[in-house]
């Protein structure tokens, strides 16, 4: 009795074996190879022969594998490009653990014409399926278009809102700039007014107080020489002299206060940046003040290494070093000679200065407070004169060039002022 392989190979009806998953022709008998004319037919894909689309072929293979349909009609292309309407009887098998379809094929033109009718019905069915797919695709495209249009409308609406807010912000910015310009003009005007209307009265107070003091001294000498009965007593003279001295000291204090306020207000103006050599500037500061010049001459103000050039307003930087060195001299420790060291280091395009002394120092809890305007940790006196504006002027000048300032412990418990300036380019 012949086995299946012999039956398959020698049968007169074209037969082949297809893989369900890929549509590959795993085996084809001699009759199939002769009919289709491909050499070899084995190894080809059904897509190369069947006229349906790959998707339609895949669907048909799945239906056949599920035994939903075992007698089919297809148009097949032969090796010579002839088109044949083929009837296909197919059955599902498992061969070597693999799902396959074994099909026998026949040319319908050799049988009744009803085969053509069956094929036309199949084609119409496929056309209907394709039409449904096209309609579904059009529907999806329509929904996507509507969604894209809605999204575009939302984006346009958001852009319009943002544009409106930007315009309103620009208007607010213009108003703010105008207001700031007006305020700056007011401050500048106030500075000039203070310079004229405040300094002049204080100057006159000092002048008249000095004249009174001189006249009082002359009157005392005159009355004493004449030994008049109506001469001013020594006690009255002391009280009058005390009053005159108080007027003079308060007038001087008022003058100093007005000068410091005027300098503070002038710092609101845009600084004139230039390349400055700190070493030369510090020498100029020391030479302009007798006590600092003496410290510099004795070597009490030490600059171990050359300081890097910076980009700053020379006038304001001179004021900064003068205020810091003057504070070091004023608040020196009485039990030891004053020593001031000025160093600098370059970091991230800026120069960090450190001005430290061995003076009386500032306790940590007061280091933020002393940088505020009109702040003093000791009462104003002949030993500690000033208006409490020194460090406030330094802070304000540094803010103009985005500088920072901090206070740390210095030499032997003294004070160290750390601040930074832009490195000169």
């Amino acid at each position: 009795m012949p086995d299946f392989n012999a039956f398959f190979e020698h049968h007169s009806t074209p037969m082949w074996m297809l893989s369900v998953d890929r549509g590959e022709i795993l085996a084809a008998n001699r009759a199939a190879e002769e009919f289709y004319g491909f050499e070899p037919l084995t190894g080809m894909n059904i897509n190369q022969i069947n006229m349906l689309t790959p998707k339609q072929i895949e669907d048909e293979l799945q239906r056949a594998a599920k035994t939903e349909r075992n007698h089919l009609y297809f148009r097949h292309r032969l090796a010579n490009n002839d088109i044949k309407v083929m009837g296909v009887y197919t059955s599902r098998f498992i061969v070597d653990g693999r799902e396959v379809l074994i099909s026998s094929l026949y040319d319908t033109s050799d049988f009744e014409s009803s085969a053509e009718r069956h094929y036309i019905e199949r084609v119409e069915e496929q056309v209907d399926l394709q039409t449904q797919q096209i309609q579904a695709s059009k529907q999806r495209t329509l929904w996507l278009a509507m969604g894209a249009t809605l999204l575009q409308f939302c984006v346009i609406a958001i852009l319009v809102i943002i544009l409106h807010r930007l315009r309103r912000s620009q208007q607010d910015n213009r108003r703010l700039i105008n207001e700031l310009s007006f305020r700056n003009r007011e401050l500048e005007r106030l500075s000039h007014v203070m310079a004229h209307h405040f300094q002049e009265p204080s100057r006159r107070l000092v002048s008249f107080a000095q004249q009174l003091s001189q006249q009082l001294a002359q009157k005392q000498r005159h009355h004493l020489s004449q030994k008049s009965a109506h001469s001013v007593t020594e006690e009255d003279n002391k009280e009058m002299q005390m009053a005159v001295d108080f007027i003079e000291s308060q007038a001087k204090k008022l003058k100093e206060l007005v000068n410091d306020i005027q300098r503070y207000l002038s710092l609101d103006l845009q600084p004139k940046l230039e390349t400055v050599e700190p070493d030369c500037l510090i020498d100029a500061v020391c030479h302009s003040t007798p006590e600092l010049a003496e410290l510099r001459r004795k070597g009490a103000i030490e600059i171990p290494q050359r300081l890097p050039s910076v980009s700053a307003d020379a006038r304001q930087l001179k004021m900064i070093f003068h205020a810091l060195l003057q504070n070091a001299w004023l608040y020196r420790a009485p039990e030891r000679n004053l020593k001031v060291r000025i160093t600098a280091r370059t970091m991230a395009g800026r120069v960090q200065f450190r001005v430290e002394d061995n003076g009386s120092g500032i306790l940590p809890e007061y280091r933020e407070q002393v940088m505020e305007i009109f702040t003093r940790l000791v009462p104003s006196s002949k030993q500690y004169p000033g208006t409490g504006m020194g460090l406030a002027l330094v802070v304000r000048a540094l803010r103009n060039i985005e500088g920072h300032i901090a206070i740390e412990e210095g030499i032997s418990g003294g004070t160290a002022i750390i601040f930074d300036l832009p490195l000169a380019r």
Side-chain angles (χ1 to χ4, degrees):
M1 182 177 181
D3 58 9
F4 174 78
N5 289 335
F7 169 81
F8 178 84
E9 180 65 26
H10 298 289
H11 201 283
S12 59
T13 301
M15 301 179 69
W16 61 31
M17 182 186 300
L18 295 177
S19 64
V20 175
D21 52 352
R22 292 182 300 176
E24 180 185 359
I25 300 175
L26 302 175
N29 65 1
R30 191 177 306 166
E33 290 182 347
E34 291 177 354
F35 179 81
Y36 285 94
F38 293 104
E39 293 184 4
L41 184 60
T42 302
M44 294 182 64
N45 195 286
I46 191 64
N47 293 334
Q48 298 173 266
I49 298 174
N50 200 310
M51 300 292 289
L52 294 179
T53 64
K55 180 64 171 63
Q56 292 170 339
I57 293 173
E58 181 182 354
D59 292 342
E60 292 297 333
L61 290 176
Q62 293 300 324
R63 289 192 184 99
K66 296 177 182 178
T67 65
E68 294 179 1
R69 188 175 293 163
N70 62 357
H71 187 199
L72 308 169
Y73 294 94
F74 299 107
R75 280 189 176 184
H76 284 183
R77 177 181 286 109
L78 306 185
N80 60 7
N81 286 327
D82 287 346
I83 305 299
K84 296 289 187 179
V85 178
M86 302 296 294
V88 180
Y89 287 98
T90 185
S91 298
R92 173 181 171 274
F93 293 92
I94 303 296
V95 177
D96 296 330
R98 186 174 186 180
E99 188 178 21
V100 300
L101 296 175
I102 298 177
S103 305
S104 61
L105 308 103
Y106 62 94
D107 184 1
T108 59
S109 58
D110 297 335
F111 297 91
E112 75 257 4
S113 59
S114 60
E116 186 71 23
R117 187 178 65 254
H118 288 301
Y119 175 76
I120 293 173
E121 291 176 354
R122 290 288 295 116
V123 170
E124 290 176 348
E125 180 182 340
Q126 296 301 326
V127 169
D128 292 341
L129 178 61
Q130 290 180 343
T131 302
Q132 293 174 3
Q133 292 175 346
I134 291 172
Q135 289 178 346
S137 177
K138 287 183 177 180
Q139 190 69 20
R140 286 194 300 269
T141 303
L142 177 61
W143 282 110
L144 286 174
M146 292 176 62
T149 303
L150 180 60
L151 179 61
Q152 186 178 17
F153 176 78
C154 293
V155 171
I156 293 173
I158 293 173
L159 290 176
V160 169
I161 293 173
I162 293 174
L163 181 61
H164 175 71
R165 291 185 177 180
L166 284 175
R167 288 179 177 174
R168 188 168 59 185
S169 298
Q170 289 175 351
Q171 293 174 355
D172 293 340
N173 287 338
R174 284 195 292 269
R175 285 196 295 268
L176 180 59
I177 291 172
N178 292 335
E179 182 66 20
L180 288 175
S181 300
F182 174 74
R183 296 299 180 188
N184 285 336
R185 290 194 298 270
E186 278 191 330
L187 289 174
E188 187 176 357
R189 175 61 181 163
L190 177 61
S191 176
H192 293 312
V193 169
M194 291 183 68
H196 183 268
H197 294 283
F198 284 14
Q199 286 191 9
E200 184 61 20
S202 64
R203 186 189 65 79
R204 291 181 178 180
L205 280 173
V206 173
S207 177
F208 280 110
Q210 291 174 346
Q211 291 180 18
L212 283 174
S213 180
Q214 293 173 0
Q215 292 175 5
L216 180 59
Q218 292 174 0
K219 188 175 181 180
Q220 285 177 337
R221 288 193 298 270
H222 174 73
H223 285 301
L224 287 174
S225 63
Q226 296 296 326
K227 295 183 180 180
S228 171
H230 299 289
S231 63
V232 180
T233 65
E234 183 178 354
E235 183 177 354
D236 290 338
N237 289 338
K238 289 182 179 179
E239 291 179 357
M240 292 175 65
Q241 186 64 49
M242 184 181 300
V244 170
D245 291 342
F246 179 79
I247 292 173
E248 183 178 3
S249 65
Q250 294 302 306
K252 289 181 178 179
K253 184 176 181 181
L254 176 61
K255 185 176 181 179
E256 292 175 0
L257 184 60
V258 170
N259 285 335
D260 284 345
I261 293 175
Q262 185 181 7
R263 283 195 294 169
Y264 188 85
L265 293 175
S266 68
L267 293 176
D268 283 331
L269 302 178
Q270 186 69 23
K272 181 183 178 182
L273 298 181
E274 55 185 309
T275 298
V276 181
E277 300 291 340
D279 300 85
C280 300
L281 188 139
I282 291 172
D283 286 337
V285 169
C286 292
H287 292 156
S288 66
T289 309
E291 56 268 20
L292 297 181
E294 182 67 15
L295 291 175
R296 185 70 167 143
R297 186 184 65 80
K298 291 181 178 179
I301 299 178
E302 175 188 357
I303 305 177
Q305 294 180 341
R306 179 183 174 277
L307 302 175
S309 302
V310 296
S311 177
D313 187 310
R315 182 180 60 85
Q316 294 185 12
L317 186 56
K318 187 175 182 179
M319 181 270 296
I320 290 173
F321 277 111
H322 182 271
L324 298 181
L325 293 174
Q326 187 73 15
N327 278 355
W329 182 81
L330 285 176
Y331 299 101
R332 60 192 182 278
E335 68 275 9
R336 54 178 178 260
N337 292 329
L338 176 63
K339 181 177 181 181
V340 181
R341 182 187 299 124
I342 303 175
T343 56
R345 61 173 180 167
T346 303
M347 48 188 299
R350 298 185 74 84
V351 179
Q352 186 183 75
F353 291 89
R354 184 181 180 92
V355 181
E356 54 183 338
D357 59 55
N358 64 342
S360 56
I362 301 174
L363 294 175
E365 56 265 30
Y366 298 118
R367 289 173 184 172
E368 291 290 335
Q369 181 181 346
V370 295
M371 291 188 284
E372 299 175 357
I373 60 174
F374 304 123
T375 298
R376 296 179 56 86
L377 299 182
V378 294
S380 179
S381 62
K382 290 184 179 181
Q383 183 179 359
Y384 300 110
T387 60
M389 287 288 289
L391 285 180
L393 288 168
V394 173
V395 172
R396 187 69 185 87
L398 289 173
R399 284 179 62 88
N400 287 339
I401 47 178
E402 298 181 357
H404 304 84
I405 184 170
I407 300 178
E408 297 179 358
E409 185 173 329
I411 305 170
S412 302
T415 302
I417 305 296
I418 298 93
F419 64 95
D420 64 297
L421 296 170
L423 179 66
R425 295 181 179 179

